Amino acid sequence: MPWLNEAVKLLEEGIGTIVEIDTICKKTFGIGMGPFELMNVTGIPIALHAQKTLEAFGTSYKVSALLVEQVKKKLNWNIPAARTQIINEDIERKVVLRMTGVVFFICSQILEEGVCSATDLNKGAKIGLKWRKGPVDLMIKAGTKEVEQIVDTYARQYGVKPPIVSSDLWKQEFILINKIGGHAILTFN
């Protein structure tokens, strides 16, 4: 939900159009639908309600005023049918930084707090959200230094303390071994 909310904030701030943000997100995260397309399919009121429940976690989770307005209008986001366009490199850089920022920030919080494993976090995004690459895969690809920089930039934007970024927390286990007496149970994760 914060990923959807951040997309609306980018639109609200005039950083990109709906088409630009959706297109950049599809490319960056290897997904079939951008955040605005996804909200149109799942329901914009659901995005608002879910995000409202997260506001207690800090200023970075605050609901976008534009998201509230859109729900009041009872309309889907206006996404033009013909969406082929060349995207300005500066806009792409800003959108990528903010959208990876929200993902890396939240995933780092989840891993730091031990909410779930890196394997589970990745699996949730791949299965539940249909991402080709999970957030941990994206962080590994970017590298610790880049992820730290992106998370710090995102945290500064909202005046919050950044979570710990550690590649030690990104380790994924695909085969789990549970030893019981003289037997072992192997679980392919």
Side-chain angles (χ1 to χ4, degrees):
M1 289 305 142
W3 184 77
L4 300 175
N5 192 50
E6 199 67 32
V8 179
K9 289 178 184 179
L10 287 168
L11 178 65
E12 186 175 47
E13 294 166 20
I15 291 172
T17 65
I18 289 174
V19 172
E20 289 168 332
I21 296 165
D22 269 3
T23 302
I24 293 165
C25 285
K26 286 193 245 182
K27 177 182 167 187
T28 302
F29 297 98
I31 52 178
M33 272 191 252
F36 293 96
E37 290 175 287
L38 183 59
M39 282 186 275
N40 281 356
V41 170
T42 59
I44 299 168
I46 291 170
L48 173 62
H49 174 72
Q51 189 63 36
K52 273 299 238 190
T53 65
L54 298 172
E55 282 187 320
F57 291 110
T59 57
S60 64
Y61 291 92
K62 185 169 174 27
V63 172
S64 163
L66 184 57
L67 182 57
V68 173
E69 283 178 36
Q70 193 68 18
V71 169
K72 285 180 183 174
K73 291 179 191 175
K74 297 182 181 181
L75 297 172
N76 278 340
W77 297 107
N78 183 13
I79 303 173
R83 297 183 294 208
T84 305
Q85 71 181 76
I86 297 170
I87 297 175
N88 174 294
E89 285 181 23
D90 187 50
I91 292 169
E92 184 168 3
R93 185 182 54 73
K94 288 176 181 176
V95 171
V96 168
L97 184 61
R98 284 280 288 283
M99 295 305 283
T100 57
V102 67
V103 170
F104 294 172
F105 180 89
I106 291 170
C107 289
S108 295
Q109 279 184 322
I110 288 169
L111 293 172
E112 177 185 25
E113 294 171 12
V115 173
C116 69
S117 71
T119 310
D120 293 335
L121 190 58
N122 241 18
K123 194 178 353 175
K126 288 178 175 181
I127 295 169
L129 301 173
K130 294 287 191 200
W131 287 17
R132 280 186 217 113
K133 294 180 183 174
V136 178
D137 295 333
L138 294 171
M139 291 191 294
I140 290 169
K141 183 179 178 186
T144 307
K145 189 173 182 166
E146 180 73 14
V147 172
E148 278 179 344
Q149 211 170 7
I150 290 170
V151 168
D152 286 346
T153 300
Y154 184 80
R156 273 195 313 277
Q157 162 109 18
Y158 293 104
V160 296
K161 181 181 178 244
I164 293 170
V165 172
S166 171
S167 60
D168 291 341
L169 299 174
W170 303 345
K171 291 186 173 100
Q172 299 179 65
E173 295 179 350
F174 299 104
I175 300 175
L176 305 175
I177 302 171
N178 186 14
K179 294 179 183 177
I180 303 173
H183 302 289
I185 298 172
L186 300 177
T187 305
F188 294 92
N189 193 1

